[in-house]
Amino acid sequence: MVGAGLGVWKLMRGVRQLELHRLILALIIFCLLSMAFLAYYVSNSPKIKEAPPLPFSDCGGGGGMSPGASTGAAGGGPGVQRSPLFLPSRQGRLRQVKAVDNSRTQPVVLVFVESIYSQLGQEIVAILESSRFHYRTEIAPGKGDMPTLTEHNRGRYTLIIYENVLKYVNLDAWNRDLLDKYCAEYGVGVIGFFKANENSLLSAQLKGFPLFLHSHLGLRDYRINPNAPLLYITKPNQVEQGSLPGDDWTIFQSNHSTYEPVLLASTKSSEALAHFGPSPLRALHATVVQDLGLHDGIQRVLFGNNLNYWLHKLVFVDAIAYLTGKRLCLSLDRHILVDVDDIFVGKEGTRMKVSDVEALLNTQNKLRALVPNFTFNLGFSGKFYHTGTDEEDRGDDMLLQHRMDFWWFPHMWSHMQPHLFHNVSVLAEQMRLNKIFAQEHGIPTDMGYAVAPHHSGVYPVHSQLYEAWKSVWGIKVTSTEEYPHLRPARYRRGFIHNGIQVLPRQTCGLFTHTIFYNEYPGGSKELDKSIRGGELFLTVLLNPISIFMTHLSNYGNDRLGLYTFESLVKFVQCWTNLRLQTLPPVQLAEKYFQIFPEERNPLWQNPCHDKRHKDIWSKEKTCDRLPKFLVIGPQKTGTTALHSFLSLHPAITSSFPSPTTFEEIQFFSGANYDNGIDWYMDFFPFPSNVSTDFMFEKSANYFDTEVAPKRAAALLPRAKVLAVLINPSDRAYSWYQHQRAHQDPAALNNTFHAVVTAGVSAPRDLQALQRRCLHPGAYATHLERWLQHYQPSQLHIVDGALLRSNPALVMEGIQRFLGVTPIFNYTQALMYDDSKGFWCQRVEGGRAKCLGKSKGRKYPEMSSESRAFLAEYYREHNMELLHLLNRLGQPLPSWLRQELQSTSWS
């Protein structure tokens, strides 16, 4: 009985467990199905459309903030009354201030930094570089010698900046006196920063100055003193309400009339300044002061913090302008152009609808009241017209209905990257399809401006793109963010190639995926920060011309493009005196190269050293076709013979001959450089083995052409460089005879002595011949220029006299320098030719194959009078060469030792 009951109980328990397991399994399945259904519903249901953020109100807070929210350090919100700033006028005292005159100085800034890695030092340099100001950095000496400040009775620097002002005031007496005398005599000002740290005293007097510092303070409500003389771009009478970031601010106090506050703030609490006496809670304290020079004749600007706060950057730019007498200063004019890329391109849900186009027109009209001639510039790819939803297609139609209200520029018809097209005809056909679309829909086609998708083919240059642009559209201007590199943005520059002007393009924090304010990467505050004194604001501040890249998707949904630029324009006009305006692209390019004429000529870089560049470079091109070493000259030293000897080596390949300059390409030294690197690489074969094949080119005028080293190093930074040096007197005479052989009238009508001794009143053609005779022989000067761009280990000096007498020995040394294998036996490959008087290639049958009749000419000996003159002329140059070669650890050429001995120098 008991056993039967136990069996029934076990059976019932098993049934219950089975039912429990089934119940759990059913619940799991139910949950999974519910999640799948919910995910499907969420992904396929339309989002609740939030109202787009409102742009900043006039000189108020960000419109994207909820009503009543505190703006903190970002400024007062809409409707918040700004506190007036009342400071007594000091015009009587300001009339005593001496006008800045540092015209006897070079326009170079000397920056003393704490270290090469210090953040503030890098920020100072970044602003100088963005403004295109020349500068030199030095590690601030605690003790030791000050850099040389003068040269030939001119000051080398027009402004001194100290990252840490304490390094300036604590200079030893000798260097401080030296620097102060320099500043006073040459009218040079000083900018200094004091950033409190854990070791800083709460209060202290600045050594040698009637000025007190009070540190470790929390401040609020930043104000600008309208009486500060340095204000130029900065607009006074604005108050940045709210707490300033951090509690490490320093304020300045002084009763001396030399100090004028620039920026002032209130302390957060009454206890903050209790250690130096009672003061009202809202008393104003100077955080940036201008020393008018009434104390010691030197004008200065001192900052009580670093450059992290945006208003400090603005005042820093003004301080540079003021202390240099506006020598380092841009005008107040700022030209902006807003490109809207990818019109008609984009996925459903990201494109513009009718209401978005209406908002675009409305904002454009509002901006025209603030920025004369403001017009959105629309870039289109016609293939994608009417490929959105019905509502978005109606937006396309409305854009075309108002086509004459905008400017237009073409992309590619199918939005493909131009570097993928290797045939000019096929590329041009794509462009014609886009042009036909434009003509059929009444889009203007005469703007002369185009932008390549993803900036492909603009830089690195795809020559087919430039040809097609000119033939189909008559393009005169384009823009790219890739020259010379995408980052850092402050290095972006313009250039002109094949008649097309290329302008630098700027990003503004808006990309194809940034379409919702509350989903902005890093949060919406990051976008507002960029507008309100951040990266976007600084782009306008530091660049006279800015072309901004935006996309179609930035003008749908939350319309971040409209929000960004309306807010930016209002913020710029609230805080600065900048005059914003817009010009069409062709006129904008003319303006750009008027301001920066030095940027007309490009500097070609190696596309394979930048991944982005390699990705937008034709796959048919390869950097393996670039040479591994250069023979740079100078002319008439034996470079042609060296070229022929190198070409005998089985692992060394010379460039193809030029139809006009024979074995020389002369790319880096003249007009050929404008043809671009595609043209240059066509002179070289595809190497059969990249690691063992050594390609080279010889152009003897590279040696003394001023631009050649910089150009060569930009494209070939790892190349090795060979220079052949002979006695410069012999080189000069050989050039004279060369010109006589080529029927140069100046050489035919004048003796060599008359040429080298010609005075400044000599005819122009005679002076030109004299320069080509004498100038290349200043060997040390030209080598130093090459060493500014190449390491000493990349340079090899060939003894030209030894190359003539014992070429096999010289070639053995060159092979070791290049690292080429196998070692070639030049003793067997060369033989001396008595009739020519130099070494030639040994060919079958033991015969000599020599250079042409123009090489190895025999001409009369140089007169002793001319040789004596040239020995004296080159004596100092040869001494400089001696010192240079000793410094480099390179052996002295035999002719140099003989020349120094004959002139009694050692």
Side-chain angles (χ1 to χ4, degrees):
M1 183 75 178
V2 174
L6 184 62
V8 172
W9 179 80
K10 288 181 177 178
L11 179 63
M12 293 297 292
R13 188 178 69 172
V15 170
R16 287 195 191 100
Q17 287 178 341
L18 183 61
E19 289 175 348
L20 181 63
H21 291 159
R22 286 177 176 172
L23 180 61
I24 292 172
L25 182 62
L27 285 171
I28 292 173
I29 293 172
F30 176 74
C31 290
L32 290 174
L33 289 173
S34 299
M35 292 171 64
F37 176 77
L38 181 63
Y40 175 81
Y41 177 79
V42 169
S43 62
N44 288 277
S45 298
K47 290 187 178 181
I48 297 175
K49 176 71 171 159
E50 296 182 7
L54 297 174
F56 298 152
S57 60
D58 292 339
C59 297
M65 307 177 71
S66 58
S70 170
T71 61
V80 175
Q81 184 174 357
R82 292 190 168 270
S83 306
L85 173 61
F86 297 104
L87 289 173
S89 175
R90 301 178 178 179
Q91 293 303 317
R93 174 168 58 84
L94 295 181
R95 279 197 292 269
Q96 304 172 32
V97 179
K98 204 166 128 186
V100 174
D101 179 15
N102 47 30
S103 57
R104 293 191 298 130
T105 62
Q106 299 294 333
V108 180
V109 180
L110 177 60
V111 183
F112 287 106
V113 297
E114 293 289 87
S115 76
I116 58 174
Y117 306 107
S118 59
Q119 180 182 349
L120 177 54
Q122 291 178 3
E123 289 177 346
I124 292 169
V125 166
I127 290 177
L128 295 175
E129 289 179 337
S130 297
S131 306
R132 295 169 168 83
F133 298 155
H134 297 290
Y135 68 94
R136 175 182 172 182
T137 57
E138 291 277 348
I139 304 299
K143 292 181 180 178
D145 291 336
M146 182 69 57
T148 303
L149 300 174
T150 60
E151 186 176 34
H152 306 307
N153 293 322
R154 284 184 62 83
R156 298 182 68 181
Y157 307 105
T158 194
L159 178 65
I160 311 293
I161 299 177
Y162 269 90
E163 177 189 354
N164 182 354
V165 73
L166 295 184
K167 289 292 181 71
Y168 169 57
V169 301
N170 291 324
L171 276 171
D172 62 85
W174 171 266
N175 281 312
R176 177 62 185 278
D177 185 57
L178 185 70
L179 183 57
D180 284 354
K181 284 182 177 177
Y182 171 77
C183 291
E185 180 178 351
Y186 289 92
V188 173
V190 177
I191 297 176
F193 295 85
F194 181 79
K195 174 77 162 119
N197 56 41
E198 62 275 7
N199 299 318
S200 301
L201 297 174
L202 293 178
S203 296
Q205 182 175 357
L206 199 62
K207 181 181 175 182
F209 295 92
L211 186 66
F212 289 87
L213 282 64
H214 305 284
S215 301
H216 297 292
L217 298 174
L219 302 176
R220 60 176 294 111
D221 300 340
Y222 228 165
R223 294 162 166 82
I224 301 169
N225 174 15
N227 295 322
L230 67 77
L231 298 184
Y232 175 58
I233 294 176
T234 309
K235 184 181 288 186
N237 288 323
Q238 290 297 332
V239 180
E240 183 79 320
Q241 293 188 346
S243 297
L244 301 185
D247 293 314
D248 53 357
W249 290 80
T250 295
I251 64 171
F252 301 96
Q253 277 198 332
S254 177
N255 291 323
H256 199 290
S257 59
T258 192
Y259 296 107
E260 180 73 25
V262 181
L263 297 180
L264 306 100
S266 306
T267 56
K268 290 181 181 177
S269 64
S270 57
E271 292 81 13
L273 297 176
H275 55 278
F276 67 94
S279 63
L281 174 60
R282 287 295 173 254
L284 297 180
H285 305 284
T287 64
V288 179
V289 295
Q290 180 174 359
D291 181 346
L292 304 175
L294 304 180
H295 172 59
D296 59 4
I298 301 171
Q299 299 202 42
R300 304 174 182 86
V301 178
L302 304 178
F303 289 77
N305 210 304
N306 53 27
L307 286 173
N308 284 349
Y309 195 66
W310 72 268
L311 199 49
H312 279 199
K313 293 186 176 75
L314 183 56
V315 170
F316 178 60
V317 171
D318 276 353
I320 294 172
Y322 181 84
L323 293 177
T324 61
K326 291 199 169 72
R327 293 177 70 199
L328 299 184
C329 176
L330 296 173
S331 79
L332 293 175
D333 293 321
R334 295 293 184 276
H335 293 82
I336 60 173
L337 178 66
V338 180
D339 285 352
V340 185
D341 290 358
D342 306 343
I343 293 295
F344 309 130
V345 182
K347 297 183 296 184
E348 292 184 0
T350 66
R351 299 159 66 109
M352 295 175 69
K353 303 169 185 174
V354 169
S355 60
D356 299 320
V357 179
E358 291 173 343
L360 184 71
L361 288 162
N362 181 47
T363 299
Q364 178 170 275
N365 288 332
K366 286 194 290 184
L367 286 175
R368 281 178 174 171
L370 303 171
V371 183
N373 204 33
F374 183 88
T375 306
F376 285 108
N377 197 27
L378 309 187
F380 66 95
S381 292
K383 181 179 180 179
F384 302 97
Y385 173 64
H386 273 192
T387 56
T389 65
D390 290 344
E391 196 174 3
E392 290 169 339
D393 288 350
R394 287 194 290 273
D396 288 355
D397 292 335
M398 190 170 186
L399 278 173
L400 292 178
Q401 180 184 339
H402 291 274
R403 60 190 176 277
M404 302 312 293
D405 293 316
F406 304 110
W407 293 334
W408 295 80
F409 65 92
H411 293 313
M412 296 288 288
W413 162 252
S414 59
H415 211 65
M416 287 187 67
Q417 298 180 24
H419 79 273
L420 300 175
F421 295 84
H422 308 302
N423 186 292
V424 178
S425 301
V426 177
L427 187 57
E429 183 57 32
Q430 279 277 313
M431 293 183 182
R432 287 190 190 93
L433 291 173
N434 216 24
K435 188 171 185 179
I436 291 170
F437 168 84
Q439 292 168 337
E440 289 175 346
H441 291 85
I443 295 175
T445 60
D446 58 352
M447 287 296 289
Y449 177 70
V451 172
H454 307 285
H455 303 115
S456 153
V458 180
Y459 187 83
V461 165
H462 189 57
S463 55
Q464 294 92 325
L465 171 63
Y466 285 73
E467 292 297 335
W469 262 345
K470 291 170 69 175
S471 65
V472 176
W473 288 101
I475 294 302
K476 300 176 182 177
V477 181
T478 185
S479 63
T480 182
E481 58 183 12
E482 296 293 344
Y483 176 77
H485 299 284
L486 175 68
R487 293 186 181 88
R490 65 180 181 271
Y491 291 160
R492 292 178 195 162
R493 297 291 185 264
F495 68 94
I496 301 175
H497 178 64
N498 198 7
I500 293 180
Q501 300 170 91
V502 183
L503 300 182
R505 215 176 191 211
Q506 307 295 345
T507 53
C508 61
L510 300 180
F511 304 96
T512 53
H513 60 278
T514 46
I515 57 179
F516 295 110
Y517 181 72
N518 290 325
E519 296 178 11
Y520 189 83
S524 57
K525 289 183 179 178
E526 287 299 310
L527 176 60
D528 292 338
K529 179 181 175 183
S530 177
I531 296 168
R532 297 181 62 83
E535 184 177 353
L536 186 52
F537 170 77
L538 291 174
T539 299
V540 174
L541 173 66
L542 301 175
N543 291 279
I545 292 175
S546 298
I547 299 178
F548 289 108
M549 173 179 66
T550 65
H551 303 82
L552 168 74
S553 56
N554 304 139
Y555 297 85
N557 295 287
D558 278 359
R559 303 170 190 157
L560 290 190
L562 304 183
Y563 169 81
T564 296
F565 286 101
E566 189 174 347
S567 300
L568 174 66
V569 167
K570 289 178 177 177
F571 186 80
V572 167
Q573 295 194 337
C574 282
W575 288 96
T576 77
N577 295 311
L578 295 176
R579 298 185 290 261
L580 298 179
Q581 50 197 299
T582 299
L583 286 174
V586 173
Q587 292 174 247
L588 201 62
E590 293 173 358
K591 174 72 68 175
Y592 184 90
F593 288 108
Q594 285 173 8
I595 299 172
F596 303 116
E598 70 280 1
E599 292 184 20
R600 292 175 174 272
N601 298 317
L603 186 67
W604 307 127
Q605 313 224 4
N606 192 310
C608 298
H609 294 168
D610 184 321
K611 184 181 181 305
R612 286 182 60 92
H613 289 176
K614 199 170 181 181
D615 289 343
I616 55 174
W617 201 40
S618 171
K619 303 305 178 191
E620 290 192 350
K621 300 172 185 177
T622 171
C623 297
D624 297 335
R625 292 182 73 184
L626 293 172
K628 288 186 178 179
F629 70 95
L630 303 172
V631 177
I632 62 171
Q635 292 168 309
K636 307 311 295 178
T637 60
T639 55
T640 302
L642 177 60
H643 175 275
S644 69
F645 297 160
L646 287 166
S647 300
L648 298 178
H649 197 293
I652 296 178
T653 305
S654 169
S655 56
F656 300 135
S658 163
T660 56
T661 51
F662 308 105
E663 81 275 8
E664 298 194 353
I665 304 177
Q666 297 183 4
F667 178 66
F668 299 111
S669 54
N672 287 335
Y673 191 72
D674 297 334
N675 295 327
I677 64 172
D678 288 1
W679 180 90
Y680 183 57
M681 289 194 300
D682 282 344
F683 281 92
F684 298 94
F686 287 94
S688 57
N689 188 314
V690 174
S691 59
T692 60
D693 285 5
F694 280 69
M695 291 193 296
F696 81 101
E697 67 126 326
K698 185 272 286 190
S699 293
N701 62 357
Y702 288 170
F703 181 80
D704 56 287
T705 301
E706 189 168 347
V707 296
K710 182 178 181 179
R711 289 175 172 179
L715 184 62
L716 309 171
R718 299 167 190 164
K720 294 189 174 182
V721 177
L722 287 88
V724 184
L725 305 185
I726 65 172
N727 188 318
S729 301
D730 294 332
R731 197 220 68 82
Y733 189 52
S734 182
W735 180 258
Y736 168 78
Q737 294 293 347
H738 173 84
Q739 292 302 98
R740 283 181 63 86
H742 285 79
Q743 304 301 303
D744 179 352
L748 293 173
N749 298 328
N750 294 276
T751 65
F752 177 62
H753 190 73
V755 171
V756 296
T757 59
V760 293
S761 60
R764 185 171 298 179
D765 62 339
L766 181 56
Q767 290 189 50
L769 176 59
Q770 182 192 60
R771 177 174 173 79
R772 291 308 305 153
C773 285
L774 300 179
H775 178 68
Y779 294 149
T781 300
H782 305 306
L783 289 172
E784 289 282 15
R785 190 185 305 116
W786 281 90
L787 289 168
Q788 291 175 11
H789 302 280
Y790 285 95
Q791 294 297 316
S793 59
Q794 294 175 271
L795 175 66
H796 183 72
I797 305 299
V798 176
D799 182 343
L802 191 60
L803 178 67
R804 188 180 185 93
S805 63
N806 192 348
L809 179 63
V810 171
M811 297 308 296
E812 183 180 339
I814 290 175
Q815 290 181 84
R816 287 197 304 270
F817 167 71
L818 296 174
V820 63
T821 56
I823 296 296
F824 186 65
N825 189 339
Y826 278 94
T827 301
Q828 296 180 355
L830 300 177
M831 63 180 294
Y832 188 78
D833 185 282
D834 291 321
S835 62
K836 274 287 187 180
F838 56 80
W839 293 79
C840 305
Q841 178 186 357
R842 187 193 304 270
V843 295
E844 290 183 14
R847 293 178 295 104
K849 181 182 178 182
C850 297
L851 298 174
K853 62 181 182 179
S854 65
K855 302 300 178 182
R857 291 192 190 94
K858 291 183 171 57
Y859 37 76
E861 287 287 325
M862 187 194 318
S863 68
S864 57
E865 183 184 25
S866 295
R867 187 168 291 280
F869 173 83
L870 290 176
E872 179 61 26
Y873 177 87
Y874 283 118
R875 183 175 62 175
E876 288 298 323
H877 293 296
N878 288 338
M879 284 300 298
E880 291 174 5
L881 179 62
L882 168 68
H883 297 317
L884 174 61
L885 295 179
N886 284 336
R887 191 181 86 220
L888 299 178
Q890 297 227 19
L892 301 186
S894 55
W895 63 263
L896 179 59
R897 288 196 300 269
Q898 294 171 3
E899 190 70 10
L900 292 174
Q901 289 170 359
S902 66
T903 54
S904 301
W905 284 78
S906 63

